[in-house]
Amino acid sequence: MLALALIAAPGRAIAADHFTPLSARVLHAPEPVRGGDGRMHLAYELVLANDSAFPPGPVTVRRIIARAAGKPVETLAGAELEEMMEPFGVVNERTPRTTIQPGGTAKVLMDVSYPAGAPIPRRLDHEIVLSPGPPAAVELSRFTAAPTAVRKRPAVIVAPPLRGPGWVVINGCCAQNTSHRRSLLAIDGGLHAGERYAIDFVQMTPAGQLTEGPADQLASYPFYGDEVLSATAGKVVGVVDRLPDGPINFALPPITAGDAGGNHVVVAMGGGRYAFYAHLVPGSVRVKVGERVRPGQVLGLLGNSGNSNAPHLHFQLMDGPSPLGSEGIPYRFSSFTAEGTLADFPQFFVGGAAARLAGSPRGPRHAELPLNLQIVGLGP
Ligand SMILES: [Zn+2]
């Protein structure tokens, strides 16, 4: 205690320590990106751990309030919190997803957004409100935690990696709990969200359907084999082209982390950014490690290799060459045409139904990241 007293500013008391039932941290400081809704999005994750030991017990998170300069900017509670929070590992359907057992951990997928032109805060922190489980000696059920800087760097502008109308943004950013957003993975001993801003592109037929013919045949997906284009200039630093196209089904087999992307290409863009194009057709990759590529150059063909349950292009940018062992970073497409938003994803994707589209926005968009379930026309 003597040491603490010595470093205190003269005349100012040090705030007392308190036992809190949880610890919380931000996995990776958010980078703002303008989304296809015209708003600026800060997508990031909180990692919560129930470290309470006096005595140990379950805790239930009631509310998480993201704050900038002490003012609330986003509140997650109720059904929305249940949607965006989940434990690491197996989800136990019998306990609420907002309850964390002693020693347990959970993630919360945050999307703080601002109207275009509004000032973006330089820092955020979080007020966490919870109810401890059985009577506990923990002192605080409302506390401030998980401060983070907000990065200033603008999201890079890239070319779309595909051409044509009717591309559906599956598992896109930011406000929904998608397989990309919840993929906080332990890779080579670190926790990473490489797929934070990833998009799985599939293309609607002119009739608004996913397939023409039986859904278990590759040939029924008219966009299977479409050319995948480099979104950027850069140098190829990773290529895999030896894996078969997998069967089409909706229960993915376990697969190694290194093979999850199937046949793929990684391009170093410079500035610490890398682009990743995954699930390509076996034998279709047209570039080699060390080769320089230009925007629009064909890298390979859209396929169904690796961790893929139907043909699609998985596209993402990340801050290192490892697709899963890096942090996903945002990007914007130079231009695209907004064609609406898919309103009935399960019926479209597994039910064989024609897409039902929700309204806005429609028309040309520039320098934005298309958001989850937006339908976009790409290329000239
Ligand atoms: Zn994906």
Side-chain angles (χ1 to χ4, degrees):
M1 297 320 281
L2 183 62
L4 281 176
L6 285 173
I7 59 168
R12 263 168 78 202
I14 298 170
D17 288 339
H18 298 280
F19 293 123
T20 57
L22 289 181
S23 65
R25 70 182 175 100
V26 168
L27 180 62
H28 186 71
E31 293 189 45
V33 61
R34 186 176 162 113
D37 58 356
R39 293 178 67 85
M40 297 297 293
H41 290 263
L42 300 173
Y44 61 96
E45 305 79 28
L46 293 173
V47 178
L48 309 179
N50 180 345
D51 304 318
S52 64
F54 303 109
V59 293
T60 298
V61 178
R62 298 292 179 198
R63 204 153 59 242
I64 294 178
I65 303 147
R67 303 184 312 186
K71 295 202 173 67
V73 292
E74 187 80 41
T75 298
L76 273 183
E80 202 178 4
L81 181 62
E82 283 274 338
E83 164 71 14
M84 299 305 274
M85 176 170 169
E86 64 178 63
F88 281 87
V90 178
V91 176
N92 179 347
E93 299 297 343
R94 280 172 302 181
T95 54
R97 291 149 58 102
T98 50
T99 297
I100 311 179
Q101 299 300 325
T105 54
K107 55 194 128 174
V108 185
L109 313 177
M110 302 293 295
D111 171 37
V112 175
S113 72
Y114 291 86
I120 303 296
R122 302 184 67 160
R123 301 193 62 77
L124 296 171
D125 66 13
H126 302 83
E127 187 177 44
I128 297 176
V129 182
L130 40 78
S131 34
V138 294
E139 296 171 63
L140 298 180
S141 56
R142 175 188 287 264
F143 56 96
T144 300
T148 182
V150 174
R151 287 163 201 254
K152 299 232 86 151
R153 179 167 87 159
V156 65
I157 297 176
V158 302
L162 295 159
R163 285 198 192 104
W167 289 101
V168 187
V169 173
I170 307 282
N171 295 322
C173 208
C174 299
Q176 286 87 31
N177 180 346
T178 67
S179 66
H180 287 159
R181 280 228 60 197
R182 64 175 165 267
S183 282
L184 275 61
L185 301 173
I187 300 291
D188 295 330
L191 185 65
H192 298 283
E195 304 178 41
R196 182 178 288 117
Y197 297 97
I199 293 174
D200 290 333
F201 283 107
V202 300
Q203 191 179 33
M204 289 190 320
T205 67
Q209 288 173 298
L210 180 63
T211 53
E212 287 176 346
D216 61 351
Q217 305 291 317
L218 288 176
S220 299
Y221 297 76
F223 55 95
Y224 174 82
D226 270 17
E227 291 180 337
V228 172
L229 313 172
S230 185
T232 73
K235 188 172 169 184
V236 177
V237 295
V239 166
V240 167
D241 199 19
R242 61 179 164 74
L243 296 165
D245 275 323
I248 296 170
N249 59 52
F250 297 93
L252 291 169
I255 200 162
T256 63
D259 285 353
N263 303 312
H264 65 260
V265 175
V266 179
V267 174
M269 305 161 50
R273 294 179 170 110
Y274 297 78
F276 177 53
Y277 309 81
H279 312 305
L280 304 177
V281 171
S284 76
V285 176
R286 299 198 190 162
V287 294
K288 292 191 167 52
V289 169
E291 191 176 334
R292 297 209 73 86
V293 294
R294 54 183 167 68
Q297 182 172 338
V298 178
L299 300 177
L301 303 180
L302 184 153
N304 192 44
S305 56
N307 196 44
S308 177
N309 55 14
H312 72 282
L313 171 68
H314 172 110
F315 174 76
Q316 70 181 46
L317 259 54
M318 63 252 179
D319 69 357
S322 158
L324 297 180
S326 302
E327 291 302 324
I329 55 176
Y331 50 89
R332 298 175 282 163
F333 291 139
S334 44
S335 66
F336 61 88
T337 305
E339 299 177 357
T341 301
L342 189 61
D344 55 351
F345 171 66
Q347 294 91 324
F348 169 77
F349 196 64
V350 297
R356 198 160 49 78
L357 302 193
S360 64
R362 307 255 179 144
R365 309 292 292 187
H366 297 281
E368 293 178 344
L369 172 71
L371 299 175
N372 190 39
L373 301 183
Q374 269 196 285
I375 298 164
V376 293
L378 301 177

